[in-house]
Amino acid sequence: MSCFSFRKLESIDRRQSGLQRFPEDAFRHRTKLTALLLDGNHIKELPRNISQLSKLERLTVADNELETLPAEVFRLNRLLEFNLRNNGLSDLPAAIRNCSRLRILDVSSNGINSLPDTITDLSSLTSLSINDASLHRLPQELAGLKQLQVLEARDNHLKYLPQSIAQLRQLRKLDVGCNDIVELPDGIGNLTRLEELWLDTNDMEALPVEIGALEHLKVADFSDNHIEALPADLQGLTSLTDLTLSNNTLLILPDSIGALKNLSQLKCENNQLSVLPDTIGKLRNLKELFLTDNMIEHLPSTIGQLDRLTTLYVDRNHLLSIPPELCKC
């Protein structure tokens, strides 16, 4: 057991210690214990007297064998972080609302098929992770999560995102990859602080025009969908560094792609591209360009302007010639 104190902060670290049950010795420190780390054990239940650890701010019990949570755990109203990832939970009780100071909540890799509507009462929450669960929907009203910066709901069964997601104005990362999403809600362009958008492996056929207004977006992954065309105007995506469009049905890239002045990596493998726009030559920071498995016959001469290009894959296309300007890259 590791137990340390720093400026009145006391923590017990019993991660990966082979524990079969909750460590009773934690209660000896209940008057000042603020962090209890129990990840990677075989704990099957939390004790009802856990509420005695009233100073607890951080409780991590990831990778254990919990199937239910006692009501008393939700009396820990000083909790800032609660990690329940990879247990055997089938639901998250509505009483989670009582942990009103919570900033980080991870319930990924459980059998949870819905989140309680009361989760939107957690107005201090900055990070919510529920990856690899059994979610079919998110709560309709998310506006109460006004401080949320990270929302991860990857590997679920979501078909739609609620309209209220557009009100999460502090959101910086949205990861809903590996779901069944068919379209994004109106107002997605309101997420002006968004830096990462992961929509890979869904059922989308188009992207909303508003995507082009996300001026702080740095990473976007739209791979493994059924997208036939990108919005015509991408000029607002001036911060974008990584764009992944692989495994779609794209026929062309819009001329406005040349406005992505900070783009470093562009992946377009396995589409139906037959040409590239001349404006591709304006991507002066592009280092990696992946075009494998398309129908390209000619590369534009402007590709020679990509003086930072270090990686170019154009195999399995219909190339008739290589532009001599390519030697300048």
Side-chain angles (χ1 to χ4, degrees):
M1 177 179 72
S2 175
C3 182
F4 60 88
S5 179
F6 179 69
R7 292 185 181 179
K8 298 183 180 180
L9 170 70
E10 186 162 322
S11 173
I12 294 178
D13 187 346
R14 299 287 297 274
R15 288 176 289 187
Q16 298 178 340
S17 298
L19 295 178
Q20 299 292 323
R21 58 180 61 88
F22 189 89
E24 291 297 322
D25 55 354
F27 293 103
R28 293 204 301 266
H29 307 275
R30 62 180 178 272
T31 60
K32 52 185 177 179
L33 188 65
T34 61
L36 182 55
L37 316 179
L38 301 172
D39 307 310
N41 285 291
H42 305 284
I43 299 170
K44 292 180 171 58
E45 61 181 5
L46 299 179
R48 294 187 181 280
N49 61 342
I50 195 172
S51 59
Q52 294 180 18
L53 304 177
S54 58
K55 301 291 182 67
L56 212 56
E57 296 179 355
R58 186 181 181 201
L59 177 58
T60 68
V61 285
D63 303 305
N64 276 282
E65 299 171 19
L66 301 175
E67 294 185 357
T68 60
L69 297 172
E72 289 77 8
V73 76
F74 301 111
R75 295 178 186 171
L76 298 173
N77 56 19
R78 293 195 181 191
L79 271 188
L80 302 177
E81 178 183 353
F82 197 7
N83 191 338
L84 291 157
R85 177 176 43 81
N86 195 25
N87 278 277
L89 300 173
S90 58
D91 74 322
L92 183 65
I96 189 68
R97 72 191 308 173
N98 297 327
C99 300
S100 58
R101 299 185 185 182
L102 206 57
R103 296 178 185 172
I104 300 172
L105 176 62
D106 191 342
V107 290
S108 300
S109 301
N110 283 282
I112 298 172
N113 57 29
S114 66
L115 293 175
D117 291 339
T118 56
I119 202 167
T120 62
D121 293 335
L122 300 177
S123 58
S124 297
L125 204 64
T126 61
S127 178
L128 174 59
S129 299
I130 185 164
N131 302 309
D132 186 26
S134 302
L135 275 186
H136 285 82
R137 68 174 187 88
L138 292 173
Q140 287 301 306
E141 296 300 327
L142 294 174
L145 302 177
K146 55 187 178 181
Q147 300 299 326
L148 198 65
Q149 297 180 23
V150 176
L151 176 56
E152 298 179 339
R154 190 177 189 85
D155 287 301
N156 283 286
H157 307 290
L158 301 174
K159 290 188 176 182
Y160 297 95
L161 299 178
Q163 191 74 40
S164 60
I165 204 168
Q167 299 179 50
L168 303 178
R169 302 299 180 90
Q170 302 299 319
L171 205 61
R172 285 170 166 76
K173 179 181 180 181
L174 176 59
D175 186 350
V176 286
C178 297
N179 277 282
D180 304 311
I181 297 171
V182 296
E183 63 180 0
L184 293 178
D186 293 337
I188 200 74
N190 294 334
L191 303 179
T192 54
R193 298 194 179 189
L194 201 63
E195 296 178 1
E196 296 183 35
L197 179 56
W198 301 85
L199 281 162
D200 53 296
T201 318
N202 278 284
D203 291 324
M204 299 183 59
E205 295 183 358
L207 296 173
V209 173
E210 293 174 276
I211 287 287
L214 300 176
E215 61 181 356
H216 290 108
L217 194 64
K218 296 178 180 178
V219 178
D221 190 342
F222 305 122
S223 62
D224 293 280
N225 280 276
H226 312 290
I227 300 171
E228 298 178 357
L230 298 179
D233 188 359
L234 301 177
Q235 296 189 51
L237 299 176
T238 53
S239 299
L240 199 63
T241 61
D242 295 80
L243 177 58
T244 303
L245 300 164
S246 309
N247 302 317
N248 281 286
T249 56
L250 290 171
L251 297 174
I252 60 171
L253 296 177
D255 289 341
S256 62
I257 200 160
L260 309 183
K261 60 183 181 181
N262 285 305
L263 198 64
S264 173
Q265 183 184 84
L266 176 58
K267 290 187 173 183
C268 297
E269 306 106 308
N270 195 24
N271 278 279
Q272 298 177 25
L273 299 173
S274 57
V275 295
L276 295 179
D278 289 341
T279 54
I280 198 94
K282 294 182 179 181
L283 302 177
R284 306 307 289 268
N285 285 302
L286 195 65
K287 296 178 181 178
E288 297 178 301
L289 178 57
F290 297 84
L291 298 167
T292 300
D293 282 313
N294 278 282
M295 302 166 63
I296 300 171
E297 295 184 357
H298 301 281
L299 295 174
S301 60
T302 54
I303 203 167
Q305 299 171 17
L306 304 178
D307 47 14
R308 295 193 178 184
L309 194 67
T310 59
T311 302
L312 173 62
Y313 285 99
V314 289
D315 51 309
R316 295 195 292 276
N317 275 277
H318 300 162
L319 284 177
L320 300 175
S321 62
I322 299 293
E325 292 84 359
L326 190 58
C327 299
K328 299 178 183 179
C329 293

